[in-house]
Amino acid sequence: MSTPTHAQIALVGAGPSGLAGARNLQKLGIAFQGFEAHGDVGGLWNIENPRSTVYASAHLISSKRMTEFSEFPMADTVADYPSHRELLDYFRAFARRFDLHRDYRFHTRVLKAEPVSDAPGTRWRLTTQTGDAAPEVAEYKGLVVANGTLAEPNMPTFPGQFAGALWHTSAYKQATQFAGQRVLIVGAGNSGCDIAVDAVHHARSIDISVRRGYYFVPKYVFGKPADSIGGKLTLPPWLKQRIDSTILQWFTGDPVRFGFPRPDYRMYESHPVVNSLILYHIGHGDVGVRPDIARLEGHTVHFKDGSARDYDLVLAATGYKLHYPFLDHALLNWQGMAPRLYLNIFAPRFDRLAVLGMVEASGLGWQGRYEQAELVARYFKALDDGSPQAGALRSAKDADPAAWPDLSGGYRYLKLERMAYYVHKDTYRKAVRAAAAAFH
């Protein structure tokens, strides 16, 4: 006999975080119903998914061993930095290995999720729609949100009018789209640099407009993935920043030489750019570095240093916004640019409302998201069992946020939208693991 919905957890999304959630709920025997708008697992990494923002040449910027789920390692035959195709194969294999497909309703969107009452242990009323069928309404015991963080474009506005094409990177799929065009990429983050390196082989010209400096990390150091080297010794932030930025200059040189502004922040205070080729192409004259945009006029882009140049296409590599369209912002304790959640997971006020994947850190990997899911599953199980440990976590998350753990690791992250939910990897994983261990 099937479990009634009011005894199930509703889980939104079948990307990496959703699959981690499904696996951990399954491990503890917690009944759940998964919802996925696309027809298969993989989320962002399924390029056939209309909401996917990956492009043909997309690869991980972290290495496979630092990114994979520990209980399901990637095959030795998979590249150090896998492509989106290899990653989709990996997530499909993970879902098959643990028989996760059966607990999902595919082609099903969550239109609205709302608490039935204001009580902490309230059920959640979900309105869902499968394909073009009539919407359905059902009540669930709890709600786990894992619909990803890289799907809703953060599109800036520029002064003036542009006569050419104005795109966000979410519209970019392959470099042939740039054939014969004069292209300006706005922003030199990881996507902007990846696309610039792609486009040099097709575009008539490629420039990058930047407003701040960046730290560029090579993908390989001494022939090994850079993120797999070091990390055994724990140093104070100020010392690690000084040592690592010095070592980095030995490998990449000074980006100021290539036309970038000098960073007005220290290393690790913003996400580094992991790209071995961008400085190479700038050094070869394939890519030009331009200052911040002042205004647009016809096909001409005027820059803040007084220079100007004509372009056919301006591509905004300006990242993504957190987007939980089926949930009222107040339910997630949204403050400023992001929800304010305990351990970046638990919403105050409600016992069974959790978000997976709303966390960013250099090197966190999917195992970091898996550990989030492990904590959520253990907490939900403890709530069901009425254990005192569940009460302790509930009290911690409902306390004054000033008393919540500091997840910064002592780093002062830039006050940017994309950094609003940024944490220090080791500090964060230690806090999440400790919280999960309390339920043993």
Side-chain angles (χ1 to χ4, degrees):
M1 195 173 102
S2 63
T3 308
T5 62
H6 62 76
Q8 297 179 355
I9 300 296
L11 171 65
V12 185
S17 293
L19 292 176
R23 170 62 180 144
N24 278 284
L25 291 169
Q26 176 199 67
K27 276 203 298 187
L28 294 188
I30 298 171
F32 71 95
Q33 177 62 67
F35 298 96
E36 168 55 50
H38 185 49
D40 197 2
V41 301
L44 167 81
W45 296 102
N46 188 336
I47 202 167
E48 301 302 321
N49 183 341
R51 291 283 285 168
S52 170
T53 53
V54 300
Y55 35 89
S57 63
H59 288 70
L60 273 183
I61 60 168
S62 55
S63 64
K64 66 179 180 183
R65 295 295 175 230
M66 303 301 288
T67 312
E68 65 195 4
F69 293 130
S70 296
E71 74 167 342
F72 193 73
M74 293 190 204
D76 290 340
T77 52
V78 171
D80 287 340
Y81 292 95
S83 70
H84 64 88
R85 290 174 293 278
E86 290 177 295
L87 294 171
L88 178 56
D89 288 344
Y90 173 72
F91 291 122
R92 283 173 168 164
F94 180 84
R96 281 196 305 273
R97 168 69 180 80
F98 299 111
D99 196 19
L100 301 178
H101 287 90
R102 67 174 181 169
D103 290 308
Y104 273 94
R105 287 175 58 186
F106 292 98
H107 299 293
T108 302
R109 290 184 302 128
V110 176
L111 304 179
K112 190 172 181 62
E114 55 194 338
V116 173
S117 75
D118 288 332
T122 181
R123 293 177 183 173
W124 288 82
R125 183 181 296 116
L126 265 67
T127 305
T128 61
Q129 184 175 25
T130 302
D132 295 325
E136 299 174 39
V137 178
E139 290 183 9
Y140 291 84
K141 190 175 193 174
L143 174 63
V144 177
V145 178
N147 63 314
T149 61
L150 300 172
E152 188 66 18
N154 182 23
M155 189 67 183
T157 54
F158 302 103
Q161 296 291 322
F162 186 59
L166 193 56
W167 293 5
H168 185 271
T169 47
S170 57
Y172 175 80
K173 290 299 173 186
Q174 53 196 21
T176 51
Q177 290 172 282
F178 291 164
Q181 299 198 70
R182 299 164 296 179
V183 178
L184 177 67
I185 297 174
V186 181
N190 282 289
S191 293
C193 288
D194 279 356
I195 292 169
V197 165
D198 253 7
V200 296
H201 305 292
H202 295 273
R204 185 167 145 197
S205 68
I206 288 281
D207 286 344
I208 292 186
S209 165
V210 297
R211 65 168 63 171
R212 65 173 54 85
Y214 295 84
Y215 291 93
F216 293 90
V217 177
K219 284 198 164 179
Y220 286 93
V221 173
F222 303 126
K224 294 183 177 179
D227 62 359
S228 68
I229 293 173
K232 300 289 185 283
L233 191 63
T234 302
L235 299 171
W238 66 269
L239 184 57
K240 182 170 175 59
Q241 287 169 318
R242 187 172 296 177
I243 291 173
D244 287 6
S245 58
T246 301
I247 293 171
L248 194 58
Q249 289 218 4
W250 296 346
F251 286 97
T252 62
D254 186 354
V256 174
R257 250 198 79 234
F258 294 89
F260 286 95
R262 190 170 299 284
D264 58 0
Y265 57 94
R266 293 180 177 179
M267 193 169 179
Y268 303 124
E269 291 178 351
S270 181
H271 204 64
V273 177
V274 185
N275 191 303
S276 300
L277 293 173
I278 186 65
L279 298 181
Y280 170 92
H281 280 294
I282 292 170
H284 283 71
D286 300 330
V287 177
V289 180
R290 306 288 166 190
D292 197 10
I293 292 173
R295 61 190 171 89
L296 310 177
E297 182 182 22
H299 279 278
T300 306
V301 176
H302 296 270
F303 298 102
K304 288 190 175 176
D305 67 349
S307 64
R309 196 167 182 196
D310 289 350
Y311 297 96
D312 303 302
L313 191 154
V314 173
L315 180 76
T318 46
Y320 296 87
K321 298 177 180 179
L322 290 177
H323 193 55
Y324 306 114
F326 46 84
L327 268 177
D328 187 285
H329 276 200
L331 299 173
L332 286 177
N333 192 32
W334 205 293
Q335 295 180 20
M337 296 180 280
R340 187 89 188 272
L341 306 177
Y342 183 71
L343 297 177
N344 285 33
I345 302 171
F346 298 107
R349 289 177 53 207
F350 299 107
D351 289 348
R352 291 182 181 84
L353 173 60
V355 178
L356 297 178
M358 194 207 79
V359 61
E360 193 59 69
S362 184
L364 186 65
W366 293 314
Q367 184 58 24
R369 278 83 173 173
Y370 186 98
E371 289 163 2
Q372 287 187 315
E374 201 164 41
L375 171 56
V376 169
R378 289 184 184 183
Y379 173 54
F380 283 4
K381 182 79 162 59
L383 283 171
D384 291 345
D385 295 344
S387 82
Q389 290 93 336
L393 193 148
R394 183 198 286 129
S395 297
K397 78 179 182 64
D398 291 344
D400 183 343
W404 290 357
D406 177 9
L407 305 173
S408 70
Y411 293 91
R412 300 169 68 176
Y413 300 118
L414 293 183
K415 301 295 184 189
L416 303 173
E417 186 148 10
R418 64 184 169 82
M419 302 294 292
Y421 46 99
Y422 207 86
V423 299
H424 178 246
K425 175 190 73 171
D426 296 334
T427 304
Y428 184 74
R429 288 184 71 175
K430 185 178 178 182
V432 170
R433 285 169 173 169
F439 293 104
H440 266 316

